[in-house]
Amino acid sequence: MGLWELVDQVLIIFYKISGHPVFDYFLGTFLVALLAVVIGEFTISVVFLVNKNHLDRLNTRLADLQQLSLAALKMGDKKSYDACNKEANDAFGRAFFNMFGLSAAALWPAFFALAWMQQRFAGIGFPIPFTGLAVNYVFTFIICYILARMFFGRVKNRLPYFRGIHRMLMAYEENSGKS
């Protein structure tokens, strides 16, 4: 049995809980979305922990360059100010895109979930009353994903692992703001 077949056997369990097909579809989709959110949040934490030293160096460099540019400005050295400011902008861009990449790490499980759902639910549509339109698995997954993200946002600080990561991130943001 391949990995994809194993994933299929595990995920399809979420769609057989009550025996009512429509209810099970929405409940299963919510649970798959919640699983994607949890895996994505775990991925962010791992990537952050692995890259923390690199992020620290970027933030320190950014703070140092900012101080140098302000010192040059106070001394009236426009040429040094411009050079430091240019370097600071570059450092900011690096830090920004590192944080952007970190945020994007949360999304990869959603794409795998959608790929799995495509194989299972591609031909199924849910009619929207009074419109003559129907929505497919992508629409329902996105709605469930948003709800799952909201739900997980409310409970993650009560979960031991995520509570510890949250404390670490808050301390990191405090220390980054001071530099």
Side-chain angles (χ1 to χ4, degrees), residues 30-96:
F30 177 79
L31 293 173
V32 167
L34 183 59
L35 182 62
V37 168
V38 171
I39 292 170
E41 289 290 320
F42 179 73
T43 302
I44 286 176
S45 71
V46 170
V47 171
F48 174 77
L49 292 172
V50 167
N51 288 320
K52 186 177 178 311
N53 290 336
H54 176 67
L55 293 170
D56 287 342
R57 284 191 303 274
L58 285 174
N59 286 326
T60 299
R61 177 153 171 73
L62 179 59
D64 291 347
L65 288 167
Q66 183 180 22
Q67 288 176 351
L68 284 173
S69 81
L70 289 174
L73 186 63
K74 284 181 184 177
M75 292 182 359
D77 186 352
K78 176 86 168 122
K79 188 175 180 179
S80 294
Y81 169 78
D82 288 340
C84 288
N85 206 30
K86 183 178 184 302
E87 287 292 317
N89 284 336
D90 182 56
F92 174 78
R94 290 174 191 264
F96 175 80

Side-chain angles (χ1 to χ4, degrees), residues 29 37-38 45 51 63 94 96 112 130 133 141 143 165 174:
T29 301
V37 168
V38 171
S45 71
N51 288 320
R94 290 174 191 264
F96 175 80
F112 277 97
F130 312 112
L133 302 172
F141 178 81
I143 298 300
I165 291 294
E174 281 181 29

Side-chain angles (χ1 to χ4, degrees), residues 4 7 13 17 25 45 52 54 58 63 68 74 90 102 112 132 139 145 148 152 155 177 179:
W4 199 248
V7 168
I13 292 169
I17 293 175
Y25 172 79
S45 71
K52 186 177 178 311
H54 176 67
L58 285 174
L68 284 173
K74 284 181 184 177
D90 182 56
L102 188 63
F112 277 97
F139 181 83
Y145 186 84
F152 189 72
V155 301
S179 25

